[in-house]
Amino acid sequence: MSITLAILLAAPAASPSESVTQTAQGQSPAPAADQDPASVPETETGAAWRLGPAQQGGGDIVVTARRRAETVQSVPIAMSVIGGEALAETGAYNVNRLTQLQPTLQFYSTNPRNSAANIRGLGAPFGLTNDGIEQGVGIYVDQVYYSRIASATFDFTDTERIEILRGPQGTLYGKNTTAGAINITTRRPSFDPEARVEVSGGNYEFFQGKFSVSGPIVADVVAARISGSITTRRGTVYNTLQREWQNSQDNVGLRGQMLFRASPDLDVTLFADYNRQNPNCCVQYYARVGTTQRPVSRQFADLSAAFGYAPPSTNAFDRLTDVDTDLRAEQELGGASALANWTLGSGTLTSVTAWRFWHWNPSNDRDFIGLPITPVSANPSQQSQFTQEIRYASDTKGPVDYTVGAFYFYQTIDTQGLQSQGSAASRFLLNPGNPPFGPNGCATPTTAACNPAVLNGLTSRNTIGFKNTSAALFGKLTWQAADRLEIAPGLRVNYDKKEGDYVATVTNGSGSPVLTNDQRGVLAPQSYQPEFDNWNISGDITVSYDFTPDIHYYATYAHSYKSGGINLSGLPLDAANNPILAVQTIDPETVNHFELGLKTQFWDRRATVNLAAFWTEIDDYQATVNNQQVGVLRGYLANAGKVRTRGIEVDSAFRPVSGLNLYINGAYTDAKYVRFVDAPCPPELSGGPAAAPGQRPGPAGVPGAISPPSCDISGQVLPGVSKWAFSYGAEYGIPTSIAGREGQVYIGYDGSYRSRFSSNPSPSAYTWVDGYALSNFRLGFKRDDGLNLFAWLRNAFDDDYYELLATQSGSTGLIVGQPGDPRTWGFTLSAAF
C-alpha cells in the first residue's frame, strides 16, 4: 500500500500576522469560489501564494480544487500547493522542474511533443507520443484544459499558485483524467495599480526576465493585467560535428487579461496568451552499449567499425555528441478564453469558453549518432481545440452542497510526417545474409545489407488527420451527514469519439513507389481510417470526518475510465509486410481507485503532516508496443492487460522557531504490470531470428540466439517510476536592516532524491536509470517593500544523472541517454511595486 505526505514546499514563513485567513479556527470566512483575488484582503490570499505553505505560519491556504474556495487542509483530496514566490526561489519555472518538489509527479520529455506527465506512475505510455490517446494527467491553466502535454513545457508566467491533485478527477470539472490534475492559476487583474519585475542571470549564458503590470481602466468596473517572460540559455551539450551547443533554451511568452465587473453579481474575465519556443534542441546520444541477439556483425561495435566510426566520447557526461542532422524544436502555442461568474440564486454559475492552438515544427536525428542512418524523422503538426464548460456550484454552506456541470471538447490535428533513411541504413537495419561472413561482415558484397542503395533515400511521407470530440455531464454532492461527517458522491457521464486518417506514401531512392521486400520491411506504405466512439459512466464517493478542527480523515473510492483511442503513428506489419488493420483502435482503460488520507496540524499549527495511502488498478492499460520490426521508430498502441500501482505518500512542513521552515515530502510507489503476456521484448531479447511455434528462444544478450516473438513481463515494474522518492528542504530567515531598509536575510536549501527506475516499456538490464540526489541552495535578502535579491546554486554537487535512456532502432545494442542539467548558478532580482 502507499502513503502520501501532502504539503507544500517551504519558502520564507509568514509571521502570524501575515498568515492567510484562519477559516479552520472560525475567523474570517473564505472567499467565494472563483472570487477575484483583487477583492480579497492581502492576509487572505496574497501572502499565502507568495510564501508557499502558509500552514507554517499558522494559517490556511485557500484553494479551488473542488471549484469552491476551501482551505487546503479541509479538502479530502491528496494535493499539494506551490505558491508563485516559492516557484521563483526554487527555480521551478516549468512542469519538468516541479518534479524536484513533488515526489509522485513524473515528467519525461525528449522534446516538447514527446513529453509525458505521470502521477503515481500513471498518465501516459512511456515512449514516443501517439496523438490518438488521451493524457491521464490533466493540465489546466485558469480553468482551461490543455489537451497537449507539450503545453506543459512553457514557462510559468505571473503564476499565483499551482495545485497538484493526485488520483482520478472528473466529477467536478473539465476533462476526465484518471491519474490526477495540475491546476495552474495566474494572478488576476487588480483594481489597485501594481507592477512586478523579475530578472535572473547565470552560467551557460542563462537569462530570464519576467514582468507584469496591472491596474484599473475604468474604476471599479474594468481592470487589466499584462505579463510576459523570456528565457534563453546556451546549450549544455556540444556537437563536435556541427560545432555548436545543443539542448539550449529560447522561450518567449506574453499573457493578457481584462476583468469586467458588469454588476455586483456578474464578472467576466477575458484571457489571451502567446508562447514561442525555438531552442536548438533536442539531442539524445551515446550512453552505453549492451549485447542483443543479433549476430555479432550486426551489433553496434562491429557496425561502427565497418564504417570506421566512433562516437566523440563514450562518457555521456562529457556532454559531447556528433549527430549529423540540424536540430529544431520550434513550437508556437496560445489562445483566448472567457471566464464568467454569475451569482444566481444560492449559487454561482460559471462559464469557461476557450480556443487554443499548438503548432509544432521539429527536426530530429533518430539514429542518435554521426552516421546517416535515419537522419530525418519529423512530424510537423498543427492543432486546434475548442472547449466549453458550464458549472453551477452552491455557495452557502448547508446540509447539502453541490456542483453540477457540462463539458464539451473538440480538437483537430493535422500532421505531415517525414522519415528518410540514409546511406548507412542498409547496413544497420537489414540482415547481412547467412554465414560465413567475409572481412566486411557480409556473406557476399551483393546482399542488401551491404548495398547502401537499397535503403539510401527511402522516404515515407505521412499525412495524418485527427478529430477528437468529447462531451460530459458531471456532478458532485456533499452531504453533511453529521456535525463532523461528510459524504460526497460524484458521477460523470462521458461520450468520446475519435476519427483518424493515416496515409503513408513511400518511395525509394529513385523516387519510385515500387519497393522491394527489404524496403517494405523498414518503411511500408499504409492507408487506413480508424474510428472509435464510446459512452461510459464514472463515479466516486468520498467519506470525510473531522476528528478535530485540525485533524481530518477521508476515504475515497473512484471508478473511472480513460477514453479508448486510435493508432496514428502507423500500424505493425504482418509477415508479408502489410499493415495489420485489426489494431487500428484500442479499448478504454478501466480504473478502480482506493485511497485513505489523514490531514493533520498540531504544535499550535506550526506542524503539518498529511498522509495518503492509495491502491489503483487499471484494466486494459494502454501501452506502446512493437512487433520486432527493425525499422519501427514509433511503436503502436495496444491494451496491455492489467497494471497496479499502490503506495504511501507523506507531505509535511514544520516551523519549530520563528524564521525557520522545514519540509519533507516522501513517496513509496509500487507500480507493476499485473498482466502483460505479449509485451515487446527488451533489447537483450531482441534482434535474432524469430522463434518458430514451439521453438525455445535463446539466452538473453547472446549474439545469434533465437528471439521470442513477444515477452511476458507480468509482475515487472512500470517504466519511469521510482520506488522511493523524496523532496526536502529548509529555509532560515533573520530580520535585519540593510542601508536603512527593513527586511530579512535568508538562506535556503532544497533537495530531492529518486531511487532507480526503468527507462524502457519492458524492463531491460541496459536501461535502468540509477538513483540520484540533487541539492539546491539559495542566499538572499528580502525587503519588506517587496524587493528580493538572492543567489542560487542548483545541482550544487554537479551530480551526473540521466533523465531517461532509450534504445536505437534496429536492436543494435546502442543505448542513448538524456543527461540532466549540470551544476548551474546565478542571481535573481525581483521587485513588486
Side-chain angles (χ1 to χ4, degrees):
M1 299 212 23
S2 67
I3 295 185
T4 305
L5 261 160
I7 275 248
L8 327 155
L9 75 130
S15 66
S17 62
E18 292 176 316
S19 61
V20 278
T21 178
Q22 306 278 325
T23 52
Q25 296 179 350
Q27 298 180 17
S28 304
D34 299 316
Q35 183 176 347
D36 173 25
S39 67
V40 180
E42 178 72 6
T43 54
E44 293 185 358
T45 59
W49 312 138
R50 287 201 312 271
L51 299 173
Q55 287 95 331
Q56 298 173 62
D60 292 310
I61 295 180
V62 175
V63 296
T64 55
R66 297 200 295 177
R67 292 313 186 211
R68 64 181 72 248
E70 302 170 284
T71 63
V72 67
Q73 284 300 99
S74 66
V75 177
I77 297 174
M79 64 180 297
S80 299
V81 183
I82 303 173
E85 185 165 323
L87 292 170
E89 292 185 353
T90 58
Y93 57 82
N94 56 32
V95 171
N96 184 34
R97 291 175 176 251
L98 286 179
T99 60
Q100 294 185 29
L101 304 174
Q102 179 47 244
T104 53
L105 175 65
Q106 301 98 28
F107 185 81
Y108 304 100
S109 179
T110 56
N111 60 43
R113 182 179 188 271
N114 294 312
S115 301
N118 288 348
I119 291 177
R120 296 170 172 172
L122 303 176
F126 196 87
L128 296 180
T129 297
N130 192 309
D131 292 328
I133 63 168
E134 309 287 347
Q135 59 194 46
V137 175
I139 307 290
Y140 294 86
V141 179
D142 291 324
Q143 302 192 44
V144 175
Y145 174 72
Y146 282 34
S147 61
R148 293 305 299 254
I149 196 63
S151 304
T153 63
F154 66 81
D155 292 348
F156 299 143
T157 302
D158 212 13
T159 301
E160 180 185 276
R161 70 181 184 272
I162 296 178
E163 303 169 3
I164 301 172
L165 284 63
R166 305 191 286 273
Q169 311 296 322
T171 62
L172 278 164
Y173 56 87
K175 198 81 168 67
N176 190 40
T177 54
T178 55
I182 301 173
N183 289 336
I184 300 171
T185 300
T186 63
R187 295 184 179 95
R188 299 285 299 279
S190 170
F191 284 95
D192 295 320
E194 66 170 59
R196 300 169 186 264
V197 63
E198 178 184 305
V199 179
S200 299
N203 62 338
Y204 294 98
E205 301 172 16
F206 175 76
F207 172 80
Q208 185 174 73
K210 297 183 178 183
F211 79 93
S212 69
V213 179
S214 184
I217 296 178
V218 179
D220 298 326
V221 178
V222 181
R225 177 181 289 275
I226 186 169
S227 57
S229 69
I230 180 171
T231 302
T232 61
R233 192 184 76 175
R234 193 203 77 191
T236 57
V237 178
Y238 187 71
N239 189 311
T240 59
L241 182 66
Q242 300 184 35
R243 298 184 181 278
E244 63 181 14
W245 291 96
Q246 296 177 330
N247 287 8
S248 63
Q249 297 180 28
D250 183 6
N251 308 334
V252 175
L254 188 66
R255 173 178 291 272
Q257 301 181 43
M258 188 168 290
L259 169 65
F260 298 87
R261 286 205 171 137
S263 73
D265 296 329
L266 174 64
D267 66 71
V268 178
T269 306
L270 304 180
F271 302 81
D273 69 280
Y274 172 81
N275 296 270
R276 191 270 306 161
Q277 298 184 11
N278 190 23
N280 187 358
C281 189
C282 302
V283 61
Q284 298 87 52
Y285 54 95
Y286 184 105
R288 63 182 66 135
V289 171
T291 55
T292 70
Q293 292 178 320
R294 271 186 149 194
V296 170
S297 64
R298 299 182 64 207
Q299 305 223 16
F300 182 78
D302 279 35
L303 289 168
S304 299
F307 286 95
Y309 171 80
S313 174
T314 56
N315 179 0
F317 299 103
D318 288 340
R319 301 182 187 273
L320 299 175
T321 185
D322 63 347
V323 296
D324 53 352
T325 298
D326 289 331
L327 302 180
R328 185 175 62 250
E330 180 184 3
Q331 62 171 338
E332 293 181 300
L333 59 148
S337 62
L339 169 64
N341 291 298
W342 182 21
T343 302
L344 187 64
S346 60
T348 299
L349 182 66
T350 298
S351 171
V352 187
T353 306
W355 167 80
R356 297 203 59 77
F357 72 91
W358 179 70
H359 295 164
W360 171 237
N361 183 24
S363 177
N364 306 304
D365 189 324
R366 280 302 175 200
D367 53 60
F368 310 111
I369 58 175
L371 289 177
I373 305 168
T374 309
V376 178
S377 175
N379 282 268
S381 184
Q382 304 82 43
Q383 177 212 302
S384 177
Q385 72 168 63
F386 172 80
T387 56
Q388 175 63 60
E389 181 173 355
I390 297 177
R391 295 189 311 272
Y392 185 80
S394 60
D395 284 342
T396 57
K397 187 71 174 178
V400 176
D401 297 320
Y402 59 88
T403 297
V404 295
F407 178 78
Y408 175 78
F409 169 82
Y410 181 72
Q411 174 191 36
T412 61
I413 302 177
D414 292 305
T415 302
Q416 307 81 43
L418 179 65
Q419 181 175 324
S420 182
Q421 306 303 140
S423 58
S426 296
R427 190 60 168 271
F428 267 75
L429 300 178
L430 298 180
N431 192 325
N434 297 316
F437 298 118
N440 62 356
C442 294
T444 67
T446 58
T447 58
C450 293
N451 183 359
V454 174
L455 294 186
N456 190 24
L458 184 70
T459 301
S460 177
R461 293 177 173 84
N462 309 330
T463 302
I464 308 169
F466 180 55
K467 295 179 180 180
N468 185 6
T469 304
S470 180
L473 298 173
F474 56 84
K476 186 80 169 180
L477 183 73
T478 302
W479 173 38
Q480 191 80 34
D483 182 44
R484 299 180 180 179
L485 175 66
E486 284 188 351
I487 301 174
L491 191 68
R492 182 184 185 94
V493 179
N494 212 86
Y495 174 73
D496 294 289
K497 183 176 183 178
K498 296 179 173 65
E499 302 170 272
D501 187 358
Y502 184 95
V503 178
T505 302
V506 181
T507 55
N508 60 27
S510 301
S512 170
V514 179
L515 307 176
T516 67
N517 198 51
D518 284 320
Q519 292 169 334
R520 290 176 60 87
V522 174
L523 293 175
Q526 300 189 26
S527 178
Y528 61 98
Q529 293 76 41
E531 290 188 12
F532 172 88
D533 69 292
N534 178 251
W535 286 89
N536 61 69
I537 298 177
S538 301
D540 57 46
I541 185 168
T542 297
V543 178
S544 58
Y545 185 79
D546 299 333
F547 290 101
T548 73
D550 292 329
I551 300 178
H552 311 274
Y553 165 82
Y554 67 90
T556 296
Y557 167 72
H559 181 73
S560 185
Y561 293 89
K562 180 179 171 184
S563 171
I566 59 178
N567 271 299
L568 281 181
S569 293
L571 299 179
L573 307 180
D574 59 20
N577 287 325
N578 293 313
I580 303 173
L581 298 178
V583 296
Q584 294 180 82
T585 63
I586 57 171
D587 294 332
E589 292 182 349
T590 302
V591 182
N592 286 291
H593 172 77
F594 305 85
E595 185 161 336
L596 299 175
L598 183 66
K599 295 189 171 186
T600 69
Q601 289 181 301
F602 52 93
W603 195 10
D604 195 25
R605 308 188 79 202
R606 289 182 294 167
T608 303
V609 177
N610 293 345
L611 307 167
F614 64 89
W615 186 304
T616 306
E617 295 182 347
I618 298 182
D619 289 296
D620 293 321
Y621 178 73
Q622 297 167 357
T624 301
V625 301
N626 60 56
N627 67 338
Q628 292 206 2
Q629 292 167 241
V630 295
V632 169
L633 292 176
R634 305 176 184 278
Y636 65 99
L637 295 169
N639 295 107
K642 184 175 184 177
V643 302
R644 180 264 296 146
T645 179
R646 59 186 179 183
I648 296 175
E649 304 164 338
V650 182
D651 296 339
S652 63
F654 307 92
R655 189 168 185 261
V657 296
S658 178
L660 175 61
N661 293 319
L662 308 170
Y663 74 94
I664 180 169
N665 307 326
Y668 167 79
T669 307
D670 179 22
K672 292 184 178 180
Y673 297 103
V674 176
R675 184 177 64 257
F676 196 178
V677 298
D678 55 352
C681 292
E684 57 266 41
L685 285 170
S686 303
Q695 190 175 21
R696 186 173 181 176
V702 174
I706 295 173
S707 295
S710 62
C711 287
D712 183 352
I713 60 172
S714 303
Q716 299 193 44
V717 299
L718 292 181
V721 187
S722 295
K723 183 163 287 189
W724 296 97
F726 297 94
S727 63
Y728 38 84
E731 183 166 294
Y732 184 62
I734 303 174
T736 188
S737 176
I738 297 180
R741 300 286 188 171
E742 298 297 324
Q744 181 186 83
V745 172
Y746 62 91
I747 183 170
Y749 168 78
D750 299 287
S752 63
Y753 168 77
R754 293 190 64 182
S755 63
R756 73 171 192 156
F757 63 90
S758 169
S759 189
N760 197 63
S762 297
S764 166
Y766 308 142
T767 56
W768 283 96
V769 173
D770 292 335
Y772 58 88
L774 301 177
S775 292
N776 305 327
F777 295 90
R778 60 185 180 275
L779 173 66
F781 173 66
K782 182 180 300 184
R783 291 194 331 208
D784 293 344
D785 61 4
L787 184 70
N788 188 6
L789 173 64
F790 63 96
W792 44 265
L793 182 63
R794 293 165 189 152
N795 189 6
F797 303 112
D798 203 19
D799 288 296
D800 293 335
Y801 68 99
Y802 290 108
E803 292 185 346
L804 55 83
L805 296 169
T807 59
Q808 185 187 49
S809 179
S811 298
T812 67
L814 175 63
I815 307 299
V816 297
Q818 183 166 300
D821 278 350
R823 178 194 294 122
T824 57
W825 54 264
F827 301 88
T828 296
L829 172 66
S830 65
F833 308 96

